[in-house]
Amino acid sequence: MKIQLFIVLIIFAVVFFQLKAINKVNNKFEILQAENPNKDQFEEIVSNAYPAIFTNVSENFFDLQKYSLKSINAIDKDSRANLNKNLKTHFDYYAVPMKAKSTLEVNLEGAGTTDFITKQNNFRLLICQLKGVKKFILFTPNQGKYLYLDKAKQKSKISFWTDNLLDYPNLEKTKYIEIILYPGQMIYIPYQWYWASLNEEDSFTVYHRSESFFSRMITR
């Protein structure tokens, strides 16, 4: 009976701390940075729920910088599949502990392309720049009320770099962090933060998302 009670208490403690970690939200303007951390160092940094920059995390793929987007896009089907497989293996190293699911999105994005301000709803989102330079803006979770959100899509109606921002007066009430991401650098965007990006150059960008067993159990 005592052993069973002990097991129940252990399970309860694991669930409690996992759910606490999943729902942790940070509204402070602070950026952390580390160079090619090992897994334990990486997990310690992201547990703070601050935006974080990690440098020199993709040395195995530096050769991609030599090629144009057109050349990369033209590689044969088997080579593309092999590249995607290697990228998935590489970035799964940074997936959340007790991983239930991870996805890798590989995008070739032309200079000048942008996206709308979006709410980060994944337990863990990592964006790594393999080629080109990308600029980010990040808003804390408590500023969503000023961002003209389409709640169904969890995106803002505003294109930060192309719209006339004077048409959206609530934006004057916001503050944001601006970050420049260079090849070999990866950004961690915390849960419930808002973000948008602008490609200052032709870019090869990897988006890695992961969910734990526990984060998959809750609706966000």
Side-chain angles (χ1 to χ4, degrees):
M1 186 67 177
K2 290 182 178 180
I3 294 177
Q4 292 175 331
L5 179 60
F6 178 75
I7 293 173
V8 169
L9 289 174
I10 292 295
I11 293 173
F12 177 81
V14 170
V15 171
F16 174 80
F17 286 110
Q18 281 288 319
L19 292 178
K20 185 177 180 180
I22 290 165
N23 291 289
K24 184 175 182 179
V25 174
N26 204 326
N27 287 294
K28 296 180 180 179
F29 286 96
E30 185 171 343
I31 305 173
L32 305 180
Q33 184 167 330
E35 181 174 358
N36 197 19
N38 62 37
K39 181 64 169 173
D40 289 340
Q41 293 168 332
F42 175 82
E43 292 298 333
E44 182 178 354
I45 291 169
V46 300
S47 69
N48 293 290
Y50 292 114
I53 304 294
F54 302 97
T55 58
N56 295 325
V57 297
S58 59
E59 292 183 2
N60 295 342
F61 305 99
F62 277 2
D63 282 351
L64 290 169
Q65 297 177 46
K66 301 177 183 177
Y67 304 100
S68 67
L69 293 192
K70 184 177 180 180
S71 298
I72 297 172
N73 199 41
I75 63 176
D76 63 83
K77 183 178 179 181
D78 290 341
S79 297
R80 174 64 64 87
N82 188 57
L83 174 60
N84 288 349
K85 179 182 178 181
N86 289 338
L87 288 168
K88 181 74 162 54
T89 299
H90 180 82
F91 287 102
D92 268 351
Y93 176 78
Y94 301 105
V96 63
M98 302 183 69
K99 179 186 72 176
K101 179 182 180 182
S102 68
T103 60
L104 185 83
E105 181 182 347
V106 178
N107 284 0
L108 304 180
E109 302 166 342
T113 56
T114 67
D115 43 37
F116 290 90
I117 300 171
T118 303
K119 187 176 183 181
Q120 204 297 84
N121 273 332
N122 294 105
F123 184 20
R124 180 169 294 174
L125 169 63
L126 303 169
I127 303 175
C128 185
Q129 198 71 354
L130 298 183
K131 176 181 173 61
V133 177
K134 188 189 293 286
K135 179 186 291 185
F136 288 86
I137 54 168
L138 296 129
F139 299 87
T140 54
N142 60 1
Q143 297 187 86
K145 56 190 174 183
Y146 304 126
L147 297 178
Y148 299 90
L149 297 174
D150 180 336
K151 293 185 178 180
K153 296 181 180 179
Q154 297 293 295
K155 288 189 176 183
S156 173
K157 303 172 185 177
I158 304 167
S159 179
F160 187 83
W161 285 282
T162 59
D163 287 346
N164 183 354
L165 300 185
L166 295 177
D167 293 335
Y168 302 95
N170 282 343
L171 281 180
E172 294 183 1
K173 303 175 184 178
T174 66
K175 296 180 180 180
Y176 59 85
I177 300 172
E178 186 173 296
I179 296 172
I180 306 293
L181 207 64
Y182 295 95
Q185 297 182 339
M186 180 171 71
I187 184 172
Y188 162 69
I189 301 178
Y191 172 51
Q192 289 199 352
W193 280 59
Y194 297 89
W195 66 281
S197 66
L198 164 69
N199 291 294
E200 296 195 328
E201 300 175 354
D202 286 350
S203 295
F204 188 122
T205 307
V206 169
Y207 300 80
H208 187 273
R209 297 172 172 86
S210 57
E211 301 287 343
S212 76
F213 172 78
F214 293 96
S215 69
R216 294 272 289 173
M217 293 172 60
I218 61 176
T219 302
R220 287 178 281 177

